[in-house]
Amino acid sequence: VGAVFDDNGFSNELIGDMINSGTFNTSGTNVFLGEITSSGTIAASGSIDLSGDFTNSGTFTSTGCNINISGDWNNTGTYTYFSGDNVTFDGAGTSTITGATDWYELTADKIGLTVTSGAQNIHGILDLDQGTFTSGGLVTLISDATSTGQMDNTDGATFSGDLTVQRRIAKTGQSWSSITSPVEGTTLATWQGNGVLFSGFPTSDFP
């Protein structure tokens, strides 16, 4: 695609690779038996089922597009999700995620999915259905004014590496908050080591 292509909501099956340096507007059901390499613009709704790699150095904007991908995710451009979008890594073999990406729902449904570089921010759900998900210490469950990321039931899958879990607490003045850890095995010393101040009990930061 070197100009503007609009599929007008039709279903498409492409055998081979798609290279986009123009504008691709899609609102249909798309099956790509190959790779997608885009340095241009993709505006997507509907669905994309991709058997190969996704390489984006341009702009991908979803207005409600679920993606199934069997290959690797390489993002050095801009990927903008729509609330409710699910990107599912499935198929045989292993896959990698390269490049900073914000996700609504990220699903790992294969024997291995590894983050190799870039911050991976989950605003909705991290869903591990099978295999081993290796975070590389680069995955964060985001908590902000609009959403709070969560990890779904792992269903026997394995999470390997560190996971950063945020919890936004909205306050307009000084007050008390009851807080707890979203993961097992956390102690007060762990909280203190990450900038949370305690007072009123032995070994706290202040009397």
Side-chain angles (χ1 to χ4, degrees), residues 71-83:
D72 299 329
W73 179 280
N74 307 295
N75 181 44
T76 57
T78 301
Y79 167 78
T80 303
Y81 69 83
F82 185 82
S83 182

Side-chain angles (χ1 to χ4, degrees), residues 158-194:
T158 299
F159 183 97
S160 176
D162 292 335
L163 174 67
T164 300
V165 180
Q166 297 182 351
R167 170 59 69 180
R168 179 178 184 266
I169 301 175
K171 294 292 181 182
T172 57
Q174 189 177 48
S175 62
W176 292 97
S177 292
S178 297
I179 58 177
T180 186
S181 172
V183 294
E184 294 180 353
T186 302
T187 65
L188 288 178
T190 303
W191 288 85
Q192 287 175 300
N194 284 278

Side-chain angles (χ1 to χ4, degrees), residues 176 197-201 204-207:
W176 292 97
L197 302 180
F198 296 93
S199 65
F201 57 88
S204 64
D205 301 280
F206 299 102

